[in-house]
Amino acid sequence: MKNKILKYSILAAIIILTIVQVGCTKELQMVSDSTYMLGTYLQLSVWTTNKQEGMDTIKSSFERIKEIEDKMSANLDESEIGQINLNAGKTYVEVSEETVDIIERAIHYAELTNGAFDPAIGKLVKLWGIGTENERIPTQDEIQNALQLVDYQKIEFQGDNKVKLSEADMRIDLGGIAKGYAADEVTKIMKNKGIKHAIINLGGNVVTLGKKADGTSWKVGIQDPFEPTGTHMGVIEVYDQTVVTSGNYERYFMADDKRYHHIIDPKTGYPAENGIISATIITNSSTDADGLSTSIYVLGVEKGMQLIESLENVECIIITEDKKVYTSTGLTERFQIIDSSFQIEN
């Protein structure tokens, strides 16, 4: 009897040891790749026990982003947004359900911000051409004429998936929200593939999937607006959340020692100037964070922070040109300044 017990004990020990050894051979490893789409550099990093599955997941994610770009880019005449713009003032254009959904989401933020965010801003964006080879300072007359065409209320819908711009020369531009949507779609793909740890970085739109492999939160750096890309002024701890920043350092050109950046105020027709040089949103949806970061940048510190404090599960970090930092109430213990030249304002 003792020999049987000893035999079974040894067998159980061998089985347990085998399980432990097998577990050790399947350690998580990082698989990462990058590309250029949506007018910016994208980097996807996943932690997985199967390198090939990780590579396949990233490939599927890039393919999905390309689908979104092909539908929603205002720079492609053959895209769904391009076709809506080409037929402005003429006829309805039938588009996909997801394009309608994102236009409607953009209109939601236009209504929420009283037009500080406006998806019908395309005429102004094209006029300035910031980030393209055609960037220039438009004339006052050009800006005034374009402002007449910036009105989200003139985006019309018919049936389920038909969209029309009511006036000729109007243009939709979803650049302030489509990148966030793409990040959310990549997150869905990774979750469906069983990925539990990942960093999705779509040119400043960061999504943290799960926690780090060691069970701790991710530390996401907040870009120093005065220094080269990759220089951080602070760090925010997050997991299963998105961190999206809009800043005047992303796309701009200089003329007569003045910086003209890509975040256009729909009310003035010029790059927004209210003291803010960086607005970061921390929340659960990258689509929402994308729209809100642009909105806050245009609204300014006081109105912007009032809006954020009125929303659930949304936090914000605002940096002004005098290096003052304003944070929403939920970030007290999660955000840390690492550059003493920046000062928190209460």
Side-chain angles (χ1 to χ4, degrees):
M1 185 65 176
K2 287 184 178 179
N3 287 339
K4 276 190 176 182
I5 294 173
L6 180 60
K7 179 180 178 181
Y8 289 133
S9 297
I10 293 173
L11 181 60
I14 291 172
I15 293 171
I16 292 171
L17 181 60
T18 302
I19 292 172
V20 171
Q21 288 174 335
V22 169
C24 289
T25 62
K26 289 189 175 181
E27 293 180 355
L28 289 171
Q29 55 183 319
M30 185 184 78
V31 180
S32 184
D33 199 4
S34 59
T35 190
Y36 186 88
M37 276 189 288
L38 301 174
T40 189
Y41 288 98
L42 319 179
Q43 182 168 28
L44 306 181
S45 302
V46 303
W47 280 257
T48 177
T49 57
N50 187 313
K51 184 176 181 179
Q52 187 58 51
E53 287 184 0
M55 292 172 63
D56 290 344
T57 299
I58 290 176
K59 181 182 177 183
S60 297
S61 298
F62 284 149
E63 289 172 349
R64 180 70 179 109
I65 294 171
K66 183 66 166 58
E67 287 179 4
I68 293 169
E69 182 174 43
D70 287 346
K71 287 181 180 179
M72 302 186 192
S73 173
N75 299 318
L76 300 173
D77 286 346
E78 63 272 22
S79 75
E80 294 181 350
I81 294 300
Q83 287 298 302
I84 293 171
N85 292 339
L86 284 174
N87 287 280
K90 300 175 185 176
T91 185
Y92 284 91
V93 175
E94 187 166 358
V95 298
S96 63
E97 184 177 347
E98 69 174 344
T99 295
V100 171
D101 287 345
I102 297 308
I103 294 173
E104 289 179 338
R105 187 83 73 93
I107 290 173
H108 164 73
Y109 280 106
E111 293 172 341
L112 187 68
T113 62
N114 193 30
F117 182 94
D118 195 324
I121 199 171
K123 185 67 175 181
L124 280 170
V125 172
K126 189 174 179 63
L127 199 59
W128 282 89
I130 298 174
T132 75
E133 58 185 18
N134 300 316
E135 57 191 18
R136 66 185 180 92
I137 303 174
T139 66
Q140 185 64 36
D141 284 344
E142 287 177 317
I143 289 174
Q144 288 303 316
N145 289 335
L147 282 172
Q148 305 304 312
L149 302 172
V150 179
D151 186 352
Y152 65 90
Q153 294 177 328
K154 294 179 180 179
I155 301 174
E156 302 175 0
F157 299 89
Q158 185 183 77
D160 293 331
N161 299 320
K162 292 184 178 180
V163 184
K164 175 186 174 183
L165 298 174
S166 66
E167 293 190 28
D169 290 334
M170 278 187 71
R171 289 178 62 87
I172 291 177
D173 191 310
L174 297 179
I177 199 168
K179 194 163 56 171
Y181 175 66
D184 285 336
E185 287 297 290
V186 170
T187 304
K188 288 180 184 177
I189 289 172
M190 291 187 175
K191 286 181 176 179
N192 290 337
K193 296 286 188 179
I195 300 295
K196 299 187 182 303
H197 315 278
I199 288 286
I200 299 158
N201 187 352
L202 307 190
N205 288 55
V206 176
V207 179
T208 59
L209 177 55
K211 292 186 176 182
K212 294 167 64 176
D214 63 7
T216 61
S217 297
W218 303 93
K219 292 184 177 180
V220 177
I222 304 301
Q223 173 68 36
D224 183 334
F226 300 96
E227 297 294 334
T229 300
T231 307
H232 301 138
M233 54 71 62
V235 175
I236 179 79
E237 290 193 15
V238 293
Y239 66 90
D240 276 333
Q241 282 194 308
T242 185
V243 181
V244 176
T245 301
S246 291
N248 71 349
Y249 53 84
E250 294 174 310
R251 295 196 306 277
Y252 66 92
F253 69 91
M254 301 293 295
D256 298 326
D257 295 326
K258 182 176 176 62
R259 181 184 303 228
Y260 294 91
H261 60 81
H262 74 292
I263 306 173
I264 308 296
D265 186 335
K267 302 291 178 64
T268 68
Y270 286 86
E273 285 189 284
N274 49 37
I276 291 181
I277 56 174
S278 172
T280 298
I281 301 295
I282 303 96
T283 189
N284 299 324
S285 161
S286 199
T287 309
D288 293 338
D290 207 3
L292 282 170
S293 65
T294 303
S295 300
I296 299 310
Y297 196 106
V298 173
L299 284 170
V301 175
E302 185 176 349
K303 290 182 179 178
M305 201 57 79
Q306 285 177 356
L307 173 60
I308 294 303
E309 295 291 5
S310 73
L311 302 174
E312 291 187 8
N313 302 316
V314 180
E315 304 296 344
C316 181
I317 301 166
I318 296 174
I319 302 174
T320 56
E321 56 194 10
D322 54 1
K323 288 195 168 185
K324 291 181 179 178
V325 182
Y326 299 82
T327 62
S328 54
T329 52
L331 290 183
T332 306
E333 298 180 0
R334 296 170 56 195
F335 174 62
Q336 177 186 5
I337 289 180
I338 58 177
D339 182 340
S340 59
S341 67
F342 291 86
Q343 298 296 321
I344 290 280
E345 291 289 311
N346 296 321

